Each structure stands twice: as C-alpha cells, then as structure tokens.
C-alpha cells in the first residue's frame, strides 16, 4: 500500500536526489521541509494532473447538481454541517448565502484552475461563524454606536 506522503528535507533532495526522488514510487507526494522558507510539496506532473481532474470533476458535478436538481440546495444545506461544523453558528440566511457562494466560487475557481479563492472564501465564512459563536464579540461588532468621530484621516503613505 502506498503512503499518501513522505517527509524529506531540502538537503536530502539536493544531496541524495536519486534516492529521494525514488521515494515518489512509494508515496504520492513528498513534503519537502525547508529551513529558510515555506515547506513545499513535490509530486509527479501526472499525479498533480490527476488530482486536478478529480477536484474539477467533483466541482462540476456539485455545481450542476445544485443548479438542476430539485431539492439539491436543501440537501447541500443539510450536509454542510457535516463538512464544516462551524456553519452551525451561522444564521439561516447566512448559511444559505454561504452555500450559494461556495458553489459559485468553486465553479469559477475551477474554470481558472486556481483554488485560492475557494480557500479564501472558506476562511472568511469561518471567521463570520466565529463572530456569531461569541455573543460578546457579536454585540461589539453589531452595536450601533451613535457617536460620530468625524472623517478618517488619509493614510500616511497616501499623502
């Protein structure tokens, strides 16, 4: 059975590149630890393409189902808490908005081959759920402060 990933150091890759790269036969990817930067993931081009094909297919199926099947949005709303437990803190209208925005963003991101916007959307909605989960924070952020502090000064760099 193949391991999902193995860890190696950048030094191992540079100094023992043949042996290190041979480890890709045993695992789908190598997690490359670096001292002076962000860790990297090393895989074969064929495996990266396979992964992208699977994600793209799943995205297209989810988007098509959400648009065409009667009751599919209700099903999506029903399974979201299993996938993202934090959605339980979102009010019902926000949960629905999240579901629609997630499907639309996944579809758009897939068309570009770049999932960064999906990751950003998930983080933003998770932070929204965090606010709703904390009554004090929610109160502080939604309180109507009648005081007007006047116009905000221009940023120092903009002058």
């Amino acid at each position: 059975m193949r391991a999902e990933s193995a860890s190696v150091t950048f030094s191992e890759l540079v100094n023992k590149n043949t042996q290190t790269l041979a480890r890709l036969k045993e695992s789908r990817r190598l997690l490359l630890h670096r001292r002076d930067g962000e860790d990297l993931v090393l895989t074969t081009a064929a495996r990266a393409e396979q992964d992208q094909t699977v994600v793209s297919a799943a995205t297209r199926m989810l988007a098509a189902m959400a648009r065409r099947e009667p009751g599919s949005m209700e099903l999506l709303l029903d399974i979201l808490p299993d996938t993202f437990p934090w959605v339980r803190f979102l009010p019902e209208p926000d949960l629905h908005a999240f579901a629609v925005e997630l499907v639309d963003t996944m579809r758009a991101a897939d068309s570009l081959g770049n999932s960064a916007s999906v990751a950003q959307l998930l983080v933003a909605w998770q932070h929204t759920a965090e606010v709703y989960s904390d009554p004090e924070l929610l109160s502080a952020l939604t309180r109507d402060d009648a005081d007007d502090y006047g116009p905000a000064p221009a940023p120092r760099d903009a002058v």
Side-chain angles (χ1 to χ4, degrees), residues 7-113:
S7 296
V8 297
T9 64
F10 191 75
S11 298
E12 286 178 82
L13 178 63
V14 171
N15 297 324
K16 300 176 184 176
N17 59 13
T18 303
Q19 299 97 318
T20 303
L21 291 176
R23 293 177 68 182
L24 280 172
K25 292 179 182 173
E26 301 164 8
S27 48
R28 291 191 54 81
R29 56 191 53 88
L30 295 177
L31 179 60
L32 194 59
H33 294 290
R34 299 188 309 161
R35 286 183 299 210
D36 60 346
E38 186 176 359
D39 290 348
L40 303 173
V41 175
L42 185 63
T43 190
T44 65
R47 287 187 186 132
E49 189 175 323
Q50 288 171 351
D51 290 347
Q52 181 56 41
T53 299
V54 170
V55 170
S56 181
T59 297
R60 289 192 309 264
M61 287 189 309
L62 176 64
M65 185 182 73
R67 284 193 321 270
R68 295 184 189 148
E69 284 297 313
S72 62
M73 185 53 75
E74 288 74 23
L75 176 61
L76 181 59
L77 292 170
D78 189 46
I79 64 170
L80 278 176
D82 293 334
T83 309
F84 307 107
W86 47 261
V87 301
R88 288 178 172 85
F89 296 109
L90 295 174
E92 195 67 34
D94 285 355
L95 178 59
H96 190 271
F98 167 63
V100 170
E101 192 174 352
L102 178 62
V103 171
D104 290 347
T105 303
M106 287 176 68
R107 187 167 176 256
D110 179 57
S111 73
L112 297 173

Side-chain angles (χ1 to χ4, degrees), residues 144-150:
D144 184 17
D145 196 353
D147 294 334
D148 184 355
Y149 297 102

